[in-house]
Amino acid sequence: MPDNSNYFPLISEHSLFDAAILANGDYPTHAIPQTILHRTHPLVCCDGAGSEAISRGLMPTAIIGDGDSCPNDVKSAYAHLFHQVEEQDDNDLTKATRYTLERLLSTAHKAKIAYLATTGKREDHTLGNIALMVRYYRQYHIIPTLITDYGNFTIAQDTSLFETHPRQQISIFNLSCSSLSGEGLRWPPYPFQEYWQGTLNEALGDQVTIHANGLYMIFRNW
Amino acid sequence: MPDNSNYFPLISEHSLFDAAILANGDYPTHAIPQTILHRTHPLVCCDGAGSEAISRGLMPTAIIGDGDSCPNDVKSAYAHLFHQVEEQDDNDLTKATRYTLERLLSTAHKAKIAYLATTGKREDHTLGNIALMVRYYRQYHIIPTLITDYGNFTIAQDTSLFETHPRQQISIFNLSCSSLSGEGLRWPPYPFQEYWQGTLNEALGDQVTIHANGLYMIFRNW
């Protein structure tokens, strides 16, 4: 068994995270992201997602933004939750991540953070948000999991073990590996040069091992 | 004015394409992709998207696949439309593209092809499909436009001119440029190393020029 940071159990309603961050994409409708959203504390929302969360019975720990995208009644009733982070160069997802790490977690190192509602709507945002997971992994040394209605993305490196169920759909996105191979997959992975090359693979049993010499991203569907 | 292949007018209901390919993602709800879908001939559908198109009053030119994902009544009534392309290594979108180029267009070179319903649902498919646009541009020498409910992606290279409207949201994804700059944008682009760095830009007026020495992808919202 590799050390803990290279083992990725299945994500489920019971998965535990150190924090959840809710963005402005499609609000989750699947039971797994919805349950994680309701169970995880602290919950930090990107601006407009704050009023969305409140309207659905959640109580955000903090809402990052000036509230310009929130209705006035929400903005005044929950004024104490709003925090402006002045960084012209970063978007709300990064501001929310920095706030969470700097103000809400006792140790930021290797914090497990669930990212929700980061996809859907504009596809350039989806691409950007997925790419930001890689940035946070590298720059903030956290373990981000991007959770959607269809599955989840995790960032991993070197040799890692992924819990799966038989026939689970898996896609592997090579980020920086010149060497990449694996076990437990229907089609043997290789050091993919393009994102489309590693999609549409399938787990054979209850675990997949990836051997690599750099960073890669794994998508497992539900 | 650069030569025709380096000029990208706004995509609208009136845009003309040599062919349209319909995939299995979210069926379009926005007027622009819906109109393009209804006006463009030939229309080639990926397997299950064929019965979806028929149920919405469209008549596909061809449906690529074995019909396994189509209801039996559709499969038998429209049996003449189904074409199996035997290529284990390629997915339906690539099979549909090859069929279109080899069988339906008099010249494949620089064919303008609209790709619809390639996003939504599983995000690993979205990433893969967007990456395939780059493959088709490079390998098949076509001009692909990936059209969604939120905007469109185009692949371009070197110096190119993009028609815009003032305050239109634009994202630039650098694929292979070591030099990249531009005019007409709110924030000056640079040779981005990561996908998130080029998102959330904005056109100042009615055109944006990108100067670069390689390939890049542009997203313009509606």
Side-chain angles (χ1 to χ4, degrees):
Chain A
M1 178 74 67
D3 90 26
N4 205 33
S5 66
N6 285 337
Y7 176 66
F8 295 87
L10 281 171
I11 301 297
S12 75
E13 284 95 335
H14 308 293
S15 297
L16 297 178
F17 296 92
D18 297 310
I21 293 179
L22 183 69
N24 286 304
D26 282 342
Y27 195 88
T29 60
H30 189 281
I32 295 179
Q34 280 194 343
T35 305
I36 289 170
L37 199 48
H38 281 265
R39 289 186 59 200
T40 308
H41 183 88
L43 167 63
V44 176
C45 299
C46 297
D47 215 11
S51 52
E52 178 83 23
I54 290 167
S55 76
R56 290 167 185 269
L58 290 163
M59 182 48 61
T61 313
I63 302 170
I64 305 305
D66 52 15
D68 278 357
S69 55
C70 290
N72 276 338
D73 56 336
V74 172
K75 197 172 160 178
S76 57
Y78 298 93
H80 59 291
L81 297 182
F82 284 93
H83 299 269
Q84 288 202 47
V85 177
E86 302 296 347
E87 287 174 72
Q88 189 66 32
D89 287 345
D90 281 321
N91 71 2
D92 283 347
L93 197 67
T94 301
K95 290 176 183 175
T97 300
R98 289 174 58 91
Y99 184 89
T100 302
L101 295 177
E102 291 165 7
R103 305 285 289 277
L104 300 177
L105 297 181
S106 55
T107 168
H109 191 65
K110 300 245 174 182
K112 290 182 183 172
I113 301 186
Y115 288 86
L116 301 124
T118 58
T119 66
K121 302 203 175 81
R122 277 175 52 183
E123 292 84 1
D124 57 334
H125 290 192
T126 294
L127 286 186
N129 288 341
I130 292 172
L132 280 170
M133 297 299 111
V134 187
R135 175 187 177 189
Y136 303 157
Y137 181 94
R138 279 181 166 139
Q139 185 173 344
Y140 302 144
H141 308 290
I142 66 169
I143 312 290
T145 308
L146 189 155
I147 299 169
T148 83
D149 283 344
Y150 303 96
N152 65 84
F153 288 95
T154 48
I155 314 293
Q157 64 183 335
D158 304 338
T159 291
S160 296
L161 206 80
F162 301 87
E163 187 186 2
T164 56
H165 54 77
R167 308 207 61 185
Q168 186 169 22
Q169 302 293 297
I170 292 203
S171 291
I172 303 157
F173 301 94
N174 180 16
L175 300 170
S176 70
C177 306
S178 60
S179 152
L180 196 156
S181 63
E183 295 147 30
L185 288 159
R186 183 156 169 197
W187 292 281
Y190 58 95
F192 307 116
Q193 299 284 314
E194 310 285 344
Y195 271 6
W196 58 269
Q197 293 171 322
T199 58
L200 311 181
N201 215 325
E202 193 175 283
L204 295 176
D206 57 11
Q207 69 178 46
V208 163
T209 307
I210 302 287
H211 304 283
N213 64 349
L215 287 180
Y216 52 96
M217 185 166 66
I218 296 282
F219 178 89
R220 286 174 285 180
N221 82 338
W222 295 133
Chain B
M1 177 74 68
D3 90 27
N4 206 33
S5 67
N6 285 336
Y7 175 66
F8 295 88
L10 282 171
I11 301 296
S12 74
E13 285 96 333
H14 308 293
S15 296
L16 297 178
F17 295 93
D18 297 310
I21 294 179
L22 183 69
N24 287 306
D26 283 340
Y27 195 88
T29 60
H30 189 282
I32 294 179
Q34 281 196 341
T35 306
I36 289 170
L37 199 49
H38 281 265
R39 289 187 59 199
T40 307
H41 184 89
L43 167 64
V44 176
C45 298
C46 297
D47 215 9
S51 54
E52 178 85 23
I54 289 167
S55 76
R56 290 167 185 268
L58 289 163
M59 181 47 60
T61 313
I63 301 171
I64 305 305
D66 53 14
D68 278 356
S69 54
C70 290
N72 277 337
D73 56 336
V74 172
K75 196 172 163 180
S76 57
Y78 297 93
H80 59 291
L81 296 183
F82 285 92
H83 299 269
Q84 289 202 47
V85 177
E86 301 296 347
E87 287 174 74
Q88 189 65 35
D89 288 345
D90 280 320
N91 71 0
D92 284 346
L93 197 66
T94 300
K95 290 177 183 174
T97 300
R98 289 173 59 93
Y99 184 88
T100 302
L101 295 177
E102 289 164 9
R103 305 285 290 275
L104 301 176
L105 298 181
S106 55
T107 170
H109 190 66
K110 299 245 173 183
K112 291 182 183 173
I113 301 187
Y115 288 87
L116 302 125
T118 58
T119 66
K121 301 201 177 83
R122 276 175 53 183
E123 291 83 1
D124 57 337
H125 290 192
T126 294
L127 286 187
N129 288 341
I130 292 172
L132 280 170
M133 299 299 111
V134 186
R135 174 186 177 189
Y136 303 156
Y137 181 93
R138 280 182 166 138
Q139 185 173 343
Y140 302 144
H141 308 291
I142 65 170
I143 312 291
T145 308
L146 190 155
I147 299 170
T148 84
D149 283 344
Y150 302 96
N152 65 86
F153 288 94
T154 50
I155 314 292
Q157 64 183 334
D158 305 335
T159 292
S160 295
L161 206 78
F162 301 87
E163 187 186 3
T164 56
H165 54 76
R167 307 210 59 186
Q168 186 169 20
Q169 301 294 297
I170 291 201
S171 290
I172 302 158
F173 300 95
N174 181 16
L175 301 170
S176 71
C177 306
S178 58
S179 151
L180 197 156
S181 62
E183 294 147 31
L185 288 159
R186 184 157 169 196
W187 292 281
Y190 58 94
F192 307 116
Q193 299 283 316
E194 310 286 344
Y195 271 8
W196 58 269
Q197 293 171 321
T199 58
L200 312 181
N201 215 323
E202 192 175 283
L204 296 174
D206 57 11
Q207 69 177 47
V208 163
T209 307
I210 302 287
H211 304 285
N213 64 349
L215 287 180
Y216 51 94
M217 186 165 66
I218 296 283
F219 178 89
R220 286 174 285 181
N221 82 337
W222 295 132

